[in-house]
Amino acid sequence: MYKIILLLFISTILLFSRPIKFKEEKYISALNTSVYKYGILNIDSDILEVTYNNESKSLVFTKDNIIEKSAKERKILKYEDNLELTLFSKIINSIYKNKHEDLVEYFHIKKDNSFTTLIPNEYISNVINKIEYKKIDMKLVFLKIYFTNNDWINIVED
Amino acid sequence: MLKINNYINILLFVILILLTIFFNSFNSISTELETILPKSEKKELLTEFNKFQNSKKIFLSVDGLDKESLIKIKKLEEKFIKIDGITLEKLYTNKKLEKYKEEYKFFIEDINKKNIEKLNINKKLEEIKFNLINSTFTFFIDNADPLDIFRENNPLKALSLKNNHLIIKDSAYLSIFKLDNSVNSISQYENIYDSIQTIVSTDENIKTFSSIFYFVENSRIIKEDVNNIIIFSTIVLLLLYIVILKDLKLLINTLITLSSSILISLFICSFIFDKLSIFVIVFGVSISTVAIDYMFHHYIHDFYKEKKGFNKDVFLGMITTVGSFAILSFVPFDLIKQLSYFSIISLLFSYLQFAFLYPKIKFSQKNFSKKYYKLYSKTKPIYVLFFAMLLIVLSIERFHFDLNLKNLDINNVTLKQKEEYFNNKLNLQKNIPVLIKGKSIDQLIENARVLKEQYYYSYIPISILVDEKSFLNKKSILETIDFNKIKNELNKESINLGFRDDYFKDAYILQYNKPIYTKELIDDFGIEIIKFKDSFLTYGNLPKDKAIEFSKYDFVENLSIKTMFEENLSNIYDELLIYGFVTTLFILVMIFLSTKDNFLISFTYVLFPISLIISLSYFISFNILHLFMLFVIISISIDFGIYLGSKNLDRSTYRAILYSLLSTFAGFGVLIFSKINALYSIGLIASIGILAISILIIILKRPFYDS
């Protein structure tokens, strides 16, 4: 029994700490164009790190705050002052760690066979129209965030 | 033998009980401090102000910003909203108000002069484009003002959000609840208060505060204190009467008379005043110990056994005391009026029974001890008078009238600390609530904007709206800016930089229709206004340290009860002294008329207590009740002066006076044990006064009969 628990524990750590490569497409409505970025997600039990390949910038989401690292500087941001980054970290945590309870505060969760839709509550509905994502086992098929200014972001795991 | 006279007293008592119950007289007793504020427009405005939901919010905080604290506050919220009359205040902005703000954006926001002077549309568009491409998520452009020509007036806020929950920056999670409009009575406040206390129990990390807690806690503190004082005083008096009178029939009758006198005073006063301060009831119990003097003098001089006719001395004593209260009742301060009316009715009723009914009931005098107390009684009145004058002269310079409300109120330290905590955390400056008036809604908005402009960190919800005058002023300024030219260049440059053709089509569309307001529209915006007489009222929180400055605006009413008290007290200070002086003159005339030959002795009984009381100036500042009690003590001590200056003076009079003093001390003196400053003040002055009379009885050279 203990061996099974130990095995599960080790496999969970390995799973969470594995780097996840992703591709991000950001559609900018004002310019009627899309911008593409590639990056790596590192998910740990306490920390979530996002690094973009073509930029020397990374974001580290810790339990208490967000650290924005670049080649030149290191900035500490508060969750309460950065709603969009807070939401992003909660969504990623929810998808990869199945922590849905954090999302309930902001979204109404609608699941159907093919994908999950997050309908924002009144508080964030002036920023986000909706979020859709699909996950098969531990792999993110897509995560699409629709903003109220008609921009959208689509993230897919490589 | 069954005689009707024996039962009149009981019959009257029963009738009075039924009347007070039938007319709900006890309901007029109030523990609220505003009860003793005089009737004025300001008092009416205070009542109106209390109708604003904003004045009745409930704040809840849970220390810490960790997950446990969040879970804890959410569980508490769930329990709180189950309490009748409470709803959780939503964080979301009012959609109708948001639409209005969009429509009149250019009239609400200031023009950013720097940006307009150095306006470089191409550079600004380059910046926007950079942000659009490089932002982590998305970049929001203000479609109405993409070039940032206008600047939102958005002062720093002490609050922010974490995990979609309101927080006090860096310290605690916060929830704000509002009370339904229907919650207005003390009993409803009590239900809410008790339910909340049960939920939060004794967890030190949880803090709750609402201004309605003051109503509940202070009312309970006062009620508990008053009950204790009344019980204590009643027990002491009962024991005293049992020891002195040793006559069960007389004791029961006396207690019935005194109870009836309180009931009849309460019954009549409840028609004169809307609300009767609970202090008046305590005072009423104490004043009944003055009324019992009339019984002592009649009884000890055997008026209840033998047919002796009319006791002139007691009548003069009574008429002087009642007359003094009648004069003091002209002081335009409701508490003094209430105390005076109550005392007059109570004393007159008791006197009538003791003087006319009791001789008919007949009580036989028990054998009193003939023991003679050898006292040092050689001092001539003139020496005492000289000493009293000297003491007055020495003390009068230090005499200081204190207007501070805390000298009458309950000092609820625990609740004050909680209020201070939320005040400090929620506001960037110390604010006090005020009421803002306007003849019309437009005038109300104009007044609010004047204040907002003057005091940047003040909180005045209605000042977000634009009044006609501000609208026209801003319109003339906006007309000097060529927005068409700006818009054309913006469209041209944006297309050159790769923006969509019609992307800036909503930019700089100026709305030149004057806003028209109705009460319903303002309600829809979630802003509270009230129609009061021919004006409109709203509220605001203005900086405390600028109170004198903003009070100069005639449309601002500072509604702090403390300020209203102070203003009222400083207004009546002169009148109180004038009526006090008239009372003293009246007393002197009465002494002169009743005790011509022994005038000096009687006069000593007036002046010596005054001098001792005034000498307290060395230790305390005099509040309104100290002064009132000073005049009451003069009017009580005059009774002793009249009895002791009377030609009919005998040893029985001394005994009657000794008993009177003991009972008056038991009635008024016990008030010094009260935690309520108002009652303590009365007790202190009464005790000093009684002490002074006792000293005189011991040291003053006795009149002819004794020598």
Side-chain angles (χ1 to χ4, degrees), chain B residues 131-154:
Chain B
N131 286 329
L132 283 169
I133 294 168
N134 294 294
S135 64
T136 309
F137 285 95
T138 186
F139 180 75
F140 280 89
I141 303 167
D142 181 350
N143 288 335
D145 175 29
L147 302 172
D148 290 339
I149 292 175
F150 294 86
R151 187 173 41 198
E152 199 178 353
N153 250 330
N154 203 2

PDB file of all heavy atoms in Angstrom, chain B residues 131-154:
ATOM      1  N   ASN B 131       2.058  48.505 -27.235  1.00  0.00           N
ATOM      2  CA  ASN B 131       1.390  47.848 -26.109  1.00  0.00           C
ATOM      3  C   ASN B 131       0.473  46.715 -26.564  1.00  0.00           C
ATOM      4  O   ASN B 131       0.398  45.679 -25.919  1.00  0.00           O
ATOM      5  CB  ASN B 131       0.568  48.857 -25.300  1.00  0.00           C
ATOM      6  CG  ASN B 131       1.458  49.757 -24.473  1.00  0.00           C
ATOM      7  OD1 ASN B 131       2.539  49.346 -24.042  1.00  0.00           O
ATOM      8  ND2 ASN B 131       1.043  50.995 -24.274  1.00  0.00           N
ATOM      9  N   LEU B 132      -0.206  46.944 -27.691  1.00  0.00           N
ATOM     10  CA  LEU B 132      -1.106  45.896 -28.205  1.00  0.00           C
ATOM     11  C   LEU B 132      -0.328  44.628 -28.524  1.00  0.00           C
ATOM     12  O   LEU B 132      -0.762  43.518 -28.226  1.00  0.00           O
ATOM     13  CB  LEU B 132      -1.816  46.387 -29.476  1.00  0.00           C
ATOM     14  CG  LEU B 132      -2.986  47.364 -29.289  1.00  0.00           C
ATOM     15  CD1 LEU B 132      -3.406  47.958 -30.638  1.00  0.00           C
ATOM     16  CD2 LEU B 132      -4.179  46.670 -28.640  1.00  0.00           C
ATOM     17  N   ILE B 133       0.832  44.802 -29.120  1.00  0.00           N
ATOM     18  CA  ILE B 133       1.614  43.634 -29.553  1.00  0.00           C
ATOM     19  C   ILE B 133       2.353  42.980 -28.389  1.00  0.00           C
ATOM     20  O   ILE B 133       2.407  41.761 -28.278  1.00  0.00           O
ATOM     21  CB  ILE B 133       2.607  44.051 -30.672  1.00  0.00           C
ATOM     22  CG1 ILE B 133       1.810  44.466 -31.916  1.00  0.00           C
ATOM     23  CG2 ILE B 133       3.585  42.935 -31.018  1.00  0.00           C
ATOM     24  CD1 ILE B 133       2.628  45.175 -32.981  1.00  0.00           C
ATOM     25  N   ASN B 134       2.864  43.794 -27.480  1.00  0.00           N
ATOM     26  CA  ASN B 134       3.758  43.240 -26.453  1.00  0.00           C
ATOM     27  C   ASN B 134       3.125  42.940 -25.093  1.00  0.00           C
ATOM     28  O   ASN B 134       3.791  42.395 -24.221  1.00  0.00           O
ATOM     29  CB  ASN B 134       4.938  44.186 -26.255  1.00  0.00           C
ATOM     30  CG  ASN B 134       5.785  44.221 -27.503  1.00  0.00           C
ATOM     31  OD1 ASN B 134       6.407  43.217 -27.875  1.00  0.00           O
ATOM     32  ND2 ASN B 134       5.762  45.350 -28.201  1.00  0.00           N
ATOM     33  N   SER B 135       1.884  43.325 -24.897  1.00  0.00           N
ATOM     34  CA  SER B 135       1.287  43.036 -23.582  1.00  0.00           C
ATOM     35  C   SER B 135       1.164  41.530 -23.384  1.00  0.00           C
ATOM     36  O   SER B 135       1.015  40.782 -24.352  1.00  0.00           O
ATOM     37  CB  SER B 135      -0.094  43.676 -23.486  1.00  0.00           C
ATOM     38  OG  SER B 135      -0.934  43.085 -24.435  1.00  0.00           O
ATOM     39  N   THR B 136       1.238  41.101 -22.145  1.00  0.00           N
ATOM     40  CA  THR B 136       1.182  39.658 -21.871  1.00  0.00           C
ATOM     41  C   THR B 136      -0.140  39.074 -22.358  1.00  0.00           C
ATOM     42  O   THR B 136      -0.192  38.015 -22.952  1.00  0.00           O
ATOM     43  CB  THR B 136       1.338  39.413 -20.359  1.00  0.00           C
ATOM     44  OG1 THR B 136       2.481  40.117 -19.926  1.00  0.00           O
ATOM     45  CG2 THR B 136       1.482  37.936 -20.042  1.00  0.00           C
ATOM     46  N   PHE B 137      -1.216  39.790 -22.084  1.00  0.00           N
ATOM     47  CA  PHE B 137      -2.513  39.294 -22.555  1.00  0.00           C
ATOM     48  C   PHE B 137      -3.074  40.203 -23.631  1.00  0.00           C
ATOM     49  O   PHE B 137      -2.773  40.069 -24.786  1.00  0.00           O
ATOM     50  CB  PHE B 137      -3.488  39.157 -21.383  1.00  0.00           C
ATOM     51  CG  PHE B 137      -3.162  37.968 -20.556  1.00  0.00           C
ATOM     52  CD1 PHE B 137      -2.376  38.080 -19.431  1.00  0.00           C
ATOM     53  CD2 PHE B 137      -3.605  36.717 -20.936  1.00  0.00           C
ATOM     54  CE1 PHE B 137      -2.051  36.980 -18.691  1.00  0.00           C
ATOM     55  CE2 PHE B 137      -3.275  35.607 -20.205  1.00  0.00           C
ATOM     56  CZ  PHE B 137      -2.494  35.736 -19.075  1.00  0.00           C
ATOM     57  N   THR B 138      -3.870  41.142 -23.135  1.00  0.00           N
ATOM     58  CA  THR B 138      -4.452  42.056 -24.116  1.00  0.00           C
ATOM     59  C   THR B 138      -4.258  43.470 -23.595  1.00  0.00           C
ATOM     60  O   THR B 138      -3.942  43.672 -22.423  1.00  0.00           O
ATOM     61  CB  THR B 138      -5.944  41.744 -24.326  1.00  0.00           C
ATOM     62  OG1 THR B 138      -6.450  42.547 -25.378  1.00  0.00           O
ATOM     63  CG2 THR B 138      -6.765  42.027 -23.078  1.00  0.00           C
ATOM     64  N   PHE B 139      -4.451  44.425 -24.473  1.00  0.00           N
ATOM     65  CA  PHE B 139      -4.297  45.813 -24.054  1.00  0.00           C
ATOM     66  C   PHE B 139      -5.596  46.545 -24.376  1.00  0.00           C
ATOM     67  O   PHE B 139      -6.090  46.495 -25.511  1.00  0.00           O
ATOM     68  CB  PHE B 139      -3.116  46.455 -24.803  1.00  0.00           C
ATOM     69  CG  PHE B 139      -2.893  47.890 -24.426  1.00  0.00           C
ATOM     70  CD1 PHE B 139      -2.307  48.234 -23.217  1.00  0.00           C
ATOM     71  CD2 PHE B 139      -3.282  48.924 -25.280  1.00  0.00           C
ATOM     72  CE1 PHE B 139      -2.114  49.558 -22.867  1.00  0.00           C
ATOM     73  CE2 PHE B 139      -3.085  50.247 -24.930  1.00  0.00           C
ATOM     74  CZ  PHE B 139      -2.500  50.561 -23.716  1.00  0.00           C
ATOM     75  N   PHE B 140      -6.160  47.167 -23.357  1.00  0.00           N
ATOM     76  CA  PHE B 140      -7.444  47.851 -23.552  1.00  0.00           C
ATOM     77  C   PHE B 140      -7.227  49.316 -23.910  1.00  0.00           C
ATOM     78  O   PHE B 140      -6.511  50.033 -23.221  1.00  0.00           O
ATOM     79  CB  PHE B 140      -8.299  47.742 -22.292  1.00  0.00           C
ATOM     80  CG  PHE B 140      -8.995  46.416 -22.189  1.00  0.00           C
ATOM     81  CD1 PHE B 140      -8.380  45.340 -21.564  1.00  0.00           C
ATOM     82  CD2 PHE B 140     -10.259  46.235 -22.743  1.00  0.00           C
ATOM     83  CE1 PHE B 140      -9.004  44.115 -21.484  1.00  0.00           C
ATOM     84  CE2 PHE B 140     -10.884  45.002 -22.676  1.00  0.00           C
ATOM     85  CZ  PHE B 140     -10.276  43.933 -22.047  1.00  0.00           C
ATOM     86  N   ILE B 141      -7.839  49.719 -25.014  1.00  0.00           N
ATOM     87  CA  ILE B 141      -7.754  51.122 -25.443  1.00  0.00           C
ATOM     88  C   ILE B 141      -9.058  51.801 -25.045  1.00  0.00           C
ATOM     89  O   ILE B 141     -10.139  51.228 -25.212  1.00  0.00           O
ATOM     90  CB  ILE B 141      -7.588  51.214 -26.986  1.00  0.00           C
ATOM     91  CG1 ILE B 141      -6.354  50.430 -27.431  1.00  0.00           C
ATOM     92  CG2 ILE B 141      -7.515  52.657 -27.451  1.00  0.00           C
ATOM     93  CD1 ILE B 141      -6.287  50.200 -28.938  1.00  0.00           C
ATOM     94  N   ASP B 142      -8.928  53.009 -24.501  1.00  0.00           N
ATOM     95  CA  ASP B 142     -10.135  53.778 -24.190  1.00  0.00           C
ATOM     96  C   ASP B 142     -10.672  54.329 -25.507  1.00  0.00           C
ATOM     97  O   ASP B 142     -10.133  55.287 -26.064  1.00  0.00           O
ATOM     98  CB  ASP B 142      -9.767  54.914 -23.214  1.00  0.00           C
ATOM     99  CG  ASP B 142     -10.975  55.738 -22.818  1.00  0.00           C
ATOM    100  OD1 ASP B 142     -12.040  55.556 -23.444  1.00  0.00           O
ATOM    101  OD2 ASP B 142     -10.848  56.554 -21.889  1.00  0.00           O
ATOM    102  N   ASN B 143     -11.712  53.695 -26.039  1.00  0.00           N
ATOM    103  CA  ASN B 143     -12.205  54.075 -27.360  1.00  0.00           C
ATOM    104  C   ASN B 143     -12.717  55.504 -27.434  1.00  0.00           C
ATOM    105  O   ASN B 143     -12.667  56.130 -28.491  1.00  0.00           O
ATOM    106  CB  ASN B 143     -13.320  53.114 -27.803  1.00  0.00           C
ATOM    107  CG  ASN B 143     -12.747  51.759 -28.147  1.00  0.00           C
ATOM    108  OD1 ASN B 143     -11.574  51.640 -28.509  1.00  0.00           O
ATOM    109  ND2 ASN B 143     -13.564  50.720 -27.999  1.00  0.00           N
ATOM    110  N   ALA B 144     -13.212  56.015 -26.314  1.00  0.00           N
ATOM    111  CA  ALA B 144     -13.733  57.382 -26.332  1.00  0.00           C
ATOM    112  C   ALA B 144     -12.597  58.403 -26.292  1.00  0.00           C
ATOM    113  O   ALA B 144     -12.707  59.495 -26.846  1.00  0.00           O
ATOM    114  CB  ALA B 144     -14.657  57.587 -25.150  1.00  0.00           C
ATOM    115  N   ASP B 145     -11.504  58.039 -25.639  1.00  0.00           N
ATOM    116  CA  ASP B 145     -10.377  58.974 -25.481  1.00  0.00           C
ATOM    117  C   ASP B 145      -9.050  58.227 -25.664  1.00  0.00           C
ATOM    118  O   ASP B 145      -8.280  58.072 -24.712  1.00  0.00           O
ATOM    119  CB  ASP B 145     -10.474  59.620 -24.078  1.00  0.00           C
ATOM    120  CG  ASP B 145      -9.288  60.517 -23.773  1.00  0.00           C
ATOM    121  OD1 ASP B 145      -8.703  61.086 -24.723  1.00  0.00           O
ATOM    122  OD2 ASP B 145      -8.944  60.652 -22.581  1.00  0.00           O
ATOM    123  N   PRO B 146      -8.768  57.740 -26.862  1.00  0.00           N
ATOM    124  CA  PRO B 146      -7.551  56.932 -27.046  1.00  0.00           C
ATOM    125  C   PRO B 146      -6.256  57.726 -26.835  1.00  0.00           C
ATOM    126  O   PRO B 146      -5.212  57.142 -26.532  1.00  0.00           O
ATOM    127  CB  PRO B 146      -7.667  56.449 -28.498  1.00  0.00           C
ATOM    128  CG  PRO B 146      -8.614  57.372 -29.148  1.00  0.00           C
ATOM    129  CD  PRO B 146      -9.546  57.867 -28.109  1.00  0.00           C
ATOM    130  N   LEU B 147      -6.330  59.060 -26.946  1.00  0.00           N
ATOM    131  CA  LEU B 147      -5.110  59.870 -26.839  1.00  0.00           C
ATOM    132  C   LEU B 147      -4.879  60.385 -25.415  1.00  0.00           C
ATOM    133  O   LEU B 147      -3.991  61.217 -25.198  1.00  0.00           O
ATOM    134  CB  LEU B 147      -5.180  61.038 -27.822  1.00  0.00           C
ATOM    135  CG  LEU B 147      -5.359  60.625 -29.299  1.00  0.00           C
ATOM    136  CD1 LEU B 147      -5.613  61.842 -30.171  1.00  0.00           C
ATOM    137  CD2 LEU B 147      -4.129  59.866 -29.808  1.00  0.00           C
ATOM    138  N   ASP B 148      -5.662  59.931 -24.498  1.00  0.00           N
ATOM    139  CA  ASP B 148      -5.541  60.341 -23.078  1.00  0.00           C
ATOM    140  C   ASP B 148      -5.575  61.856 -22.905  1.00  0.00           C
ATOM    141  O   ASP B 148      -4.763  62.435 -22.165  1.00  0.00           O
ATOM    142  CB  ASP B 148      -4.226  59.800 -22.459  1.00  0.00           C
ATOM    143  CG  ASP B 148      -4.271  58.311 -22.275  1.00  0.00           C
ATOM    144  OD1 ASP B 148      -5.386  57.772 -22.227  1.00  0.00           O
ATOM    145  OD2 ASP B 148      -3.187  57.693 -22.196  1.00  0.00           O
ATOM    146  N   ILE B 149      -6.526  62.486 -23.583  1.00  0.00           N
ATOM    147  CA  ILE B 149      -6.661  63.938 -23.424  1.00  0.00           C
ATOM    148  C   ILE B 149      -7.350  64.250 -22.094  1.00  0.00           C
ATOM    149  O   ILE B 149      -7.137  65.286 -21.494  1.00  0.00           O
ATOM    150  CB  ILE B 149      -7.450  64.526 -24.625  1.00  0.00           C
ATOM    151  CG1 ILE B 149      -6.598  64.406 -25.893  1.00  0.00           C
ATOM    152  CG2 ILE B 149      -7.859  65.976 -24.374  1.00  0.00           C
ATOM    153  CD1 ILE B 149      -7.279  64.831 -27.157  1.00  0.00           C
ATOM    154  N   PHE B 150      -8.138  63.295 -21.646  1.00  0.00           N
ATOM    155  CA  PHE B 150      -8.849  63.494 -20.371  1.00  0.00           C
ATOM    156  C   PHE B 150      -8.240  62.601 -19.291  1.00  0.00           C
ATOM    157  O   PHE B 150      -7.639  61.577 -19.604  1.00  0.00           O
ATOM    158  CB  PHE B 150     -10.340  63.202 -20.545  1.00  0.00           C
ATOM    159  CG  PHE B 150     -11.003  64.181 -21.462  1.00  0.00           C
ATOM    160  CD1 PHE B 150     -10.998  63.969 -22.842  1.00  0.00           C
ATOM    161  CD2 PHE B 150     -11.588  65.324 -20.962  1.00  0.00           C
ATOM    162  CE1 PHE B 150     -11.576  64.887 -23.691  1.00  0.00           C
ATOM    163  CE2 PHE B 150     -12.173  66.242 -21.814  1.00  0.00           C
ATOM    164  CZ  PHE B 150     -12.169  66.022 -23.187  1.00  0.00           C
ATOM    165  N   ARG B 151      -8.448  63.032 -18.063  1.00  0.00           N
ATOM    166  CA  ARG B 151      -7.842  62.296 -16.959  1.00  0.00           C
ATOM    167  C   ARG B 151      -8.922  62.004 -15.920  1.00  0.00           C
ATOM    168  O   ARG B 151      -9.635  62.921 -15.487  1.00  0.00           O
ATOM    169  CB  ARG B 151      -6.756  63.162 -16.324  1.00  0.00           C
ATOM    170  CG  ARG B 151      -5.935  62.461 -15.281  1.00  0.00           C
ATOM    171  CD  ARG B 151      -4.802  63.337 -14.842  1.00  0.00           C
ATOM    172  NE  ARG B 151      -5.221  64.732 -14.703  1.00  0.00           N
ATOM    173  CZ  ARG B 151      -4.401  65.751 -14.675  1.00  0.00           C
ATOM    174  NH1 ARG B 151      -3.115  65.573 -14.812  1.00  0.00           N
ATOM    175  NH2 ARG B 151      -4.853  66.986 -14.521  1.00  0.00           N
ATOM    176  N   GLU B 152      -9.030  60.751 -15.588  1.00  0.00           N
ATOM    177  CA  GLU B 152     -10.057  60.394 -14.614  1.00  0.00           C
ATOM    178  C   GLU B 152      -9.637  60.841 -13.218  1.00  0.00           C
ATOM    179  O   GLU B 152      -8.485  60.702 -12.841  1.00  0.00           O
ATOM    180  CB  GLU B 152     -10.278  58.873 -14.618  1.00  0.00           C
ATOM    181  CG  GLU B 152     -11.597  58.495 -13.989  1.00  0.00           C
ATOM    182  CD  GLU B 152     -11.839  56.998 -14.041  1.00  0.00           C
ATOM    183  OE1 GLU B 152     -11.050  56.274 -14.679  1.00  0.00           O
ATOM    184  OE2 GLU B 152     -12.817  56.567 -13.437  1.00  0.00           O
ATOM    185  N   ASN B 153     -10.626  61.398 -12.527  1.00  0.00           N
ATOM    186  CA  ASN B 153     -10.387  61.826 -11.150  1.00  0.00           C
ATOM    187  C   ASN B 153     -10.528  60.626 -10.243  1.00  0.00           C
ATOM    188  O   ASN B 153     -11.582  60.339  -9.712  1.00  0.00           O
ATOM    189  CB  ASN B 153     -11.468  62.833 -10.760  1.00  0.00           C
ATOM    190  CG  ASN B 153     -10.895  64.194 -10.629  1.00  0.00           C
ATOM    191  OD1 ASN B 153      -9.719  64.345 -10.285  1.00  0.00           O
ATOM    192  ND2 ASN B 153     -11.698  65.189 -10.914  1.00  0.00           N
ATOM    193  N   ASN B 154      -9.469  59.906 -10.100  1.00  0.00           N
ATOM    194  CA  ASN B 154      -9.600  58.661  -9.345  1.00  0.00           C
ATOM    195  C   ASN B 154      -8.622  58.628  -8.171  1.00  0.00           C
ATOM    196  O   ASN B 154      -7.489  58.192  -8.307  1.00  0.00           O
ATOM    197  CB  ASN B 154      -9.326  57.487 -10.304  1.00  0.00           C
ATOM    198  CG  ASN B 154      -9.959  56.220  -9.802  1.00  0.00           C
ATOM    199  OD1 ASN B 154     -10.615  56.227  -8.770  1.00  0.00           O
ATOM    200  ND2 ASN B 154      -9.741  55.134 -10.521  1.00  0.00           N
TER     201      ASN B 154
END
